[in-house]
Amino acid sequence: MRDLLNPSMRKWLGIALAVIVLDHLAKFWVSSALDYQEAIPVLPFFSLVLVHNTGAAFSFLADAGGWQRWFFITVGIVATVVIVRLLKRHAHDAHLAFALALVLGGALGNVIDRVVLGHVVDFLYFHYKSFAWPAFNVADSAITVGAALLIRDSLRGKQASASKP
């Protein structure tokens, strides 16, 4: 517990908390403003739409019968423990810690939905003609950006070690 309260950890946990708060404020607003499956066009290629996802990314396992809720909650909790341990170990590495904080906040944002609501609230919907990307939310965006930063950093690390004699 003491490690979680040191200043560098507080910064990264604060970023994760900010993601959770922003995610839930957006979900609350959309849930208050829209009826289920109601869509409001914002741009020709972007709409706000209120949908509930009982599955994972791209509604994977959404129709699995209910067991997936507890499975994804468990995965989210395990991921949280692993990410917090990684954050403690790498709190001094700003690039890595920032990416981990984004993934942590996003994972917990969706876990909270699953625990409280039994599903994840999604509302950001990109589409163009016959192509449509599945709706997603702020937590999903944070996870995606964090994962992309982790991949970028791992590739940079390999390039740096490959260039050393």
Side-chain angles (χ1 to χ4, degrees):
M1 183 68 165
R2 186 184 68 214
D3 291 337
L4 296 178
L5 298 178
N6 78 48
S8 60
M9 278 299 288
R10 278 195 306 233
K11 175 172 54 173
W12 305 126
L13 294 176
I15 289 170
L17 180 62
V19 169
I20 295 167
V21 169
L22 181 62
D23 178 56
H24 280 105
L25 286 173
K27 289 172 179 175
F28 176 78
W29 176 76
V30 168
S31 296
S32 305
L34 300 177
D35 291 325
Y36 183 69
Q37 294 188 336
E38 178 183 2
I40 298 176
V42 178
L43 296 169
F45 58 88
F46 173 69
S47 300
L48 294 175
V49 62
L50 176 60
V51 293
H52 300 157
N53 183 0
T54 57
F58 308 110
S59 296
F60 175 67
L61 295 177
D63 297 325
W67 64 266
Q68 73 277 21
R69 173 185 183 189
W70 303 107
F71 174 75
F72 291 128
I73 289 170
T74 302
V75 168
I77 291 169
V78 169
T80 296
V81 170
V82 169
I83 293 168
V84 168
R85 286 184 178 183
L86 286 169
L87 270 173
K88 281 198 268 187
R89 193 173 305 142
H90 300 284
H92 60 281
D93 182 346
H95 292 280
L96 177 59
F98 180 69
L100 290 170
L102 290 177
V103 174
L104 177 63
L108 285 173
N110 284 339
V111 165
I112 291 166
D113 273 10
R114 289 184 197 287
V115 169
V116 174
L117 305 171
H119 58 262
V120 173
V121 174
D122 288 330
F123 56 91
L124 301 170
Y125 181 57
F126 287 87
H127 49 84
Y128 180 73
K129 295 185 181 180
S130 65
F131 173 79
W133 191 261
F136 58 98
N137 58 43
V138 173
D140 298 333
S141 300
I143 292 168
T144 301
V145 170
L149 291 173
L150 289 170
I151 292 167
R152 184 198 68 182
D153 283 354
S154 72
L155 293 175
R156 280 186 173 175
K158 288 181 181 180
Q159 289 171 349
S161 63
S163 65
K164 290 182 182 178

